[in-house]
């Protein structure tokens, strides 16, 4: 993979997206700052981002009425963002993603307990959701699955992963194995697919754990492994938060806000099973982090410190080493990375 690496950090306190060049040493050089339009005041809790599949558009949504989602065109050379349109969503979304064919924006509403699907036409989200479905309390993530036409979503208080079938237009229908329960008290929050194996990983907010699932026929899930993220003796809600697998498929990392740590695991290349690398101290309340497209660096946003830090990933062990740290605007709560140039 060649070209430049860009980092986008969504700052909910100022409703801004800060973009940076990420150099070969892990240093961040400011590129631009854009405002996400349509709101009045800070976006409560976070400011979710999602790329279109071709990565020439970036979507950003605010969590105050009218819950606008903005579509930004990405300059293929500079990575700078230009807002092309905005549209209201039916609820405040904790997480957004785009269907694999790029025709639908999907959102999970933690506050309202629902998921919604909105049509995307020529890169722009349309004003009225095509579908709104109730969920158990605190829906928190929704992603396209590995199998064509499969979508996964989480419910923290429902303690389950929901499995849907999605048609070409974007409409969702529950599958036969619709509610996949996780272990009691886990609270599934964010999901991540392995890039090549039929394995789905889930970080559990309340239990401070990581579950690996084997993906079976028709998108069904079977628990493969369950691992603790917190040290022995930890009590209370871990507030585990984000989860990412390196593009190489060799490592997976999960963040835990109440221990200010990111926990790393190596991934067995045949089975997807996990072996812990270690727990790494990071910035306070690491709600959001991302991995650069070349699997060289982990970029962590400290939500309580208003900073972003870069950690080098050891290519043999997966261990994290601090490299650079810089201040950003209030409440950095989402991080995405992109390799340039972008080819539609």
């Amino acid at each position: 993979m060649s070209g430049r690496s860009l980092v986008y950090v969504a700052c909910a306190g100022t409703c801004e997206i800060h973009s940076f060049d990420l150099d070969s040493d892990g240093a961040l050089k400011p590129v631009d700052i854009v405002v996400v339009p349509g709101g009045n005041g800070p976006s409560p809790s976070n400011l979710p981002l999602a790329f279109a599949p071709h990565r020439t558009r970036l979507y950003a949504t605010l969590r105050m009425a009218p819950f606008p989602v903005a579509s930004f065109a990405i300059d293929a050379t500079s990575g700078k963002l230009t807002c092309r349109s905005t549209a209201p969503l039916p609820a405040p979304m904790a997480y957004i993603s785009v269907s694999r064919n790029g025709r639908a924006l999907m959102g999970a509403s933690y506050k309202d307990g629902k998921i919604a699907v909105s049509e995307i036409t020529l890169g722009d989200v349309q004003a009225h959701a095509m579908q709104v479905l109730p969920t158990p309390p605190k829906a928190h993530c929704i992603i396209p699955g590995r199998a064509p036409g499969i979508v996964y979503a989480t419910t923290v208080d429902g303690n389950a992963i929901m499995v849907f079938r999605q048609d070409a237009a974007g409409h969702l229908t529950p599958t036969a194995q619709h509610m996949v329960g996780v272990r009691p008290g886990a609270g599934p929050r964010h999901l991540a697919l392995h890039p090549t194996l039929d394995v789905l990983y889930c970080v559990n907010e309340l239990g401070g754990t990581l579950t690996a699932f084997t993906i079976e026929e028709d998108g069904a899930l079977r628990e493969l492994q369950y691992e603790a993220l917190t040290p022995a003796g930890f009590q209370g809600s871990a507030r585990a938060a984000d989860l990412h697998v390196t593009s190489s498929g060799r490592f997976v990392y999960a963040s835990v806000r109440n221990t200010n740590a990111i926990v790393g695991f190596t991934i067995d290349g045949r089975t997807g099973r996990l072996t812990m690398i270690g727990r790494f101290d990071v910035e306070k309340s690491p709600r959001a982090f991302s991995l650069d497209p070349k699997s060289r660096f982990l970029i962590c946003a400290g939500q309580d410190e208003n900073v972003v830090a870069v950690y080098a990933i050891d290519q043999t062990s997966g261990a994290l080493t601090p490299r650079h740290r810089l201040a950003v605007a209030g409440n950095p709560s989402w991080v995405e990375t992109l390799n340039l140039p972008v080819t539609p």
Side-chain angles (χ1 to χ4, degrees):
M1 187 178 294
S2 60
R4 296 163 50 208
S5 292
L6 266 288
V7 175
Y8 300 96
V9 179
C11 297
T14 54
C15 298
E16 296 172 337
I17 302 172
H18 294 227
S19 57
F20 303 90
D21 265 317
L22 177 67
D23 72 16
S24 59
D25 188 51
L28 294 173
K29 178 183 177 182
V31 172
D32 200 13
I33 299 174
V34 296
V35 174
V36 180
N40 181 18
S43 178
S45 192
N46 77 332
L47 199 169
L49 303 177
F51 284 116
H54 48 67
R55 295 190 166 239
T56 58
R57 291 272 183 148
L58 179 68
Y59 300 95
T61 185
L62 303 179
R63 295 180 70 177
M64 80 283 276
F67 317 121
V69 58
S71 172
F72 290 92
I74 303 171
D75 185 272
T77 302
S78 68
K80 289 186 177 181
L81 304 175
T82 302
C83 186
R84 296 300 189 191
S85 64
T86 62
L89 296 179
M93 300 300 175
Y95 196 108
I96 56 173
S97 64
V98 180
S99 61
R100 291 210 180 276
N101 65 7
R103 295 176 58 183
L105 182 94
M106 304 181 290
S109 178
Y110 180 91
K111 184 175 183 295
D112 285 14
K114 62 182 62 171
I115 58 176
V117 184
S118 298
E119 181 182 355
I120 296 175
T121 303
L122 299 176
D124 298 324
V125 180
Q126 301 306 295
H128 300 288
M130 68 171 74
Q131 187 179 28
V132 179
L133 296 174
T135 69
K138 299 181 180 179
H140 212 299
C141 176
I142 184 165
I143 65 169
R146 175 170 307 288
I150 293 295
V151 167
Y152 299 108
T154 60
T155 161
V156 177
D157 280 4
N159 208 45
I161 299 172
M162 298 170 282
V163 189
F164 298 90
R165 187 165 296 283
Q166 186 171 48
D167 66 21
H171 291 93
L172 299 173
T173 304
T175 64
Q177 188 207 30
H178 174 51
M179 300 290 286
V180 181
V182 296
R183 298 194 186 188
R189 178 182 168 99
H190 279 195
L191 303 169
L193 291 163
H194 191 277
T196 57
L197 302 175
D198 288 331
V199 177
L200 176 74
Y201 299 100
C202 177
V203 65
N204 301 304
E205 178 175 347
L206 306 179
T209 52
L210 179 63
T211 309
F213 294 92
T214 298
I215 302 172
E216 302 187 324
E217 191 175 354
D218 295 327
L221 300 176
R222 176 174 55 85
E223 184 182 307
L224 174 67
Q225 192 174 356
Y226 189 81
E227 294 288 336
L229 299 173
T230 54
F234 179 87
Q235 296 183 346
S237 173
R239 296 175 70 233
D242 208 357
L243 173 71
H244 295 281
V245 180
T246 58
S247 58
S248 65
R250 295 180 60 196
F251 309 115
V252 61
Y253 300 92
S255 65
V256 183
R257 286 173 288 178
N258 275 357
T259 60
N260 301 321
I262 286 180
V263 187
F265 297 84
T266 59
I267 300 174
D268 184 281
R270 295 179 300 104
T271 66
R273 292 186 64 86
L274 306 172
T275 301
M276 183 180 284
I277 301 165
R279 298 180 179 91
F280 302 93
D281 294 334
V282 294
E283 287 58 45
K284 291 182 180 178
S285 193
R287 180 186 180 118
F289 71 95
S290 189
L291 307 171
D292 89 287
K294 302 173 187 178
S295 299
R296 304 166 304 167
F297 300 107
L298 183 149
I299 303 96
C300 178
Q303 190 175 29
D304 288 354
E305 294 185 84
N306 300 332
V307 298
V308 175
V310 180
Y311 295 82
I313 300 173
D314 185 285
Q315 297 300 295
T316 301
S317 69
L320 303 179
T321 302
R323 282 290 179 86
H324 296 278
R325 193 173 191 264
L326 78 165
V328 293
N331 192 0
S333 54
W334 204 280
V335 184
E336 293 285 351
T337 61
L338 176 70
N339 203 64
L340 293 176
V342 171
T343 303

